Amino acid sequence: MSIMSDASPARSATRPVLGQRASFWVSAAVVLHTLWTSAAPTVTYPLYAAEWQLSTFTTTAIFAVYPIVLVVLLIVLGDLSDYIGRRATILLGLSASLIGVLLFALAPDVAWIFAGRAFMGTGVALTAGPAAAAMVDFSAPGQAGRASSIATAATAGGLALATIVGGALIQYAPFPTHLNFWVLAVVIAALLGAAWFLPGHSADTAKGRWKPRLPAIPQGLGKIFTVSALAVATSFGFGALYLSLGAQIARDLIGSTNALVAGSSFVLFAVVLGTVAILAKGIRAPLNIAFGAVTTIVSLGLLMLAASQHSLPIYLIATTLGGAGYSLFFLGGLTLISQNAPSTHRGASISAVYLIAYFLQGVTALALGFIATATGLQNAIDLGAPALAILALVTGALALLIGRGKPAV
């Protein structure tokens, strides 16, 4: 099986193509869509649980379908955009995301929700790495750090839009489990139209035909890849705790029943995430990862305290620090791999980082859901938070070790 690039000279001559700056921002919007699509169902989970009598394990399983499908596809398709071009891969991914969101918008039962999450996972598998790589491709030489910073801020924007738009529509508009997804479907359709005009090829595209293969890390990149993958994986693991259980934590343990209030706490998380990403773009990647470890560990401790004390103020402080920790881990990990991966394998390298990160996210979500169903939500937090704190500590220490004497990273 092989796929040729979509960028033949004849097609390039007849199709209008965006300039470098516009292509950069369209790629950033594609990155934004990945978090919006991923987080859009978050504030609807309690509604599904009430309407269809779902257990906590079932709601976290809905969340986990997304990273599981994504991981399987990244194993096979992680380097696809290096061969057929960023544009072709992004178009395929956005089409899958649109199908997934429409399944949510039309869903009459939980089976449609599981199918929708699978298509969402497919869409993000085909867009997350290629869009982040495209942002570096469309940047000036030496601007990988800036591209990573804006990519991190774009993920924050997607999370903020998912939660504030979703929370407002669920709380104050009709069709609370459907309208949110109709709005997102319109946005993805518009983005699909814009992505049609992206350049179809770049000078750094890998040679030859694409064929399915297992992920491979370029020679000499092993240590940097390991730290990068652990950093992004730690942020995603924390995201699994926060996004799969956050609405239920706010409702059951903190005592908030207002969907917009729960959504606003996610927006606080996202605003801090995006702000820190911009402020920290000039800091070396290993230091960002180390700072991320400290803030994440403190945030997890405060989250445990907020749940045990049923304290909204402590929960909001934990949310603020969690956004900062997520941002620093994600920014540091993405910058580290973007700056050091060969240009002809940048898409594959970034996608391999996402593969590990989403695998951890899926495992974390399923484990937390199982524990919450079997022994209670409080126990899930008390067991999950320390485990993530240990991972954060190890990742921060490894980042400091790899950063010694290496000013380029």
Side-chain angles (χ1 to χ4, degrees):
M1 176 181 178
S2 64
I3 299 178
M4 293 296 291
S5 169
D6 71 343
S8 68
R11 294 182 68 175
S12 296
T14 59
R15 177 175 59 84
V17 174
L18 296 174
Q20 180 174 334
R21 183 179 179 84
S23 297
F24 176 90
W25 288 110
V26 169
S27 302
V30 175
V31 172
L32 182 148
H33 122 278
T34 63
L35 257 290
W36 190 344
T37 301
S38 172
T42 298
V43 289
T44 61
Y45 289 151
L47 300 182
Y48 294 141
E51 181 176 348
W52 297 324
Q53 291 79 52
L54 306 179
S55 68
T56 302
F57 179 74
T58 302
T59 58
T60 51
I62 294 170
F63 179 90
V65 165
Y66 165 86
I68 289 171
V69 169
L70 195 151
V71 164
V72 171
L73 289 177
L74 283 178
I75 291 174
V76 180
L77 303 177
D79 64 345
L80 182 62
S81 74
D82 288 330
Y83 287 86
I84 72 169
R86 312 293 187 220
R87 171 183 176 269
T89 312
I90 287 171
L91 289 174
L92 289 172
L94 288 173
S95 298
S97 291
L98 182 58
I99 293 171
V101 170
L102 287 173
L103 286 170
F104 268 82
L106 297 167
D109 55 49
V110 72
W112 285 55
I113 298 301
F114 276 103
R117 284 301 274 176
F119 273 100
M120 287 177 176
T122 301
V124 174
L126 291 170
T127 56
M135 292 180 68
V136 179
D137 294 344
F138 297 129
S139 297
Q143 293 295 308
R146 174 180 175 271
S148 298
S149 175
I150 294 174
T152 305
T155 65
L159 179 58
L161 287 167
T163 52
I164 196 66
V165 171
L169 291 175
I170 288 169
Q171 190 67 37
Y172 301 113
F175 314 112
T177 57
H178 299 279
L179 186 57
N180 174 31
F181 299 104
W182 283 114
V183 172
L184 178 55
V186 171
V187 172
I188 295 176
L191 185 56
L192 190 58
W196 178 263
F197 299 103
L198 287 172
H201 204 275
S202 72
D204 294 326
T205 300
K207 305 300 181 183
R209 296 170 179 264
W210 177 84
K211 59 183 179 180
R213 71 195 83 199
L214 293 176
I217 308 305
Q219 187 173 5
L221 201 64
K223 292 180 180 179
I224 287 174
F225 174 82
T226 299
V227 175
S228 173
L230 282 174
V232 178
T234 304
S235 69
F236 279 29
F238 181 82
L241 170 63
Y242 199 76
L243 295 178
S244 67
L245 294 178
Q248 291 175 270
I249 292 171
R251 183 193 65 185
D252 297 342
L253 299 183
I254 306 301
S256 173
T257 59
N258 187 299
L260 184 57
V261 170
S264 296
S265 70
F266 292 131
V267 173
L268 174 62
F269 181 91
V271 168
V272 173
L273 195 165
T275 302
V276 171
I278 299 301
L279 295 177
K281 67 179 180 179
I283 300 175
R284 293 174 60 216
L287 288 179
N288 274 330
I289 295 171
F291 293 148
V294 173
T295 52
T296 297
I297 290 169
V298 174
S299 171
L300 288 166
L302 289 175
L303 181 62
M304 294 173 64
L305 180 62
S308 65
Q309 298 296 317
H310 309 287
S311 171
L312 181 59
I314 297 176
Y315 178 69
L316 293 177
I317 295 172
T319 297
T320 301
L321 291 175
Y326 187 109
S327 180
L328 292 167
F329 265 131
F330 186 83
L331 172 62
L334 188 59
T335 301
L336 198 60
I337 194 68
S338 296
Q339 288 179 333
N340 290 279
S343 59
T344 54
H345 293 86
R346 184 176 290 131
S349 299
I350 295 175
S351 291
V353 166
Y354 277 119
L355 189 161
I356 293 172
Y358 278 113
F359 176 79
L360 178 65
Q361 188 180 66
V363 169
T364 301
L366 285 174
L368 290 172
F370 178 80
I371 295 169
T373 300
T375 65
L377 186 56
Q378 182 69 59
N379 284 335
I381 297 169
D382 290 342
L383 291 173
L388 289 170
I390 292 171
L391 179 61
L393 180 63
V394 171
T395 302
L398 290 175
L400 289 177
L401 287 175
I402 203 172
R404 285 184 177 179
K406 292 186 177 182
V409 298

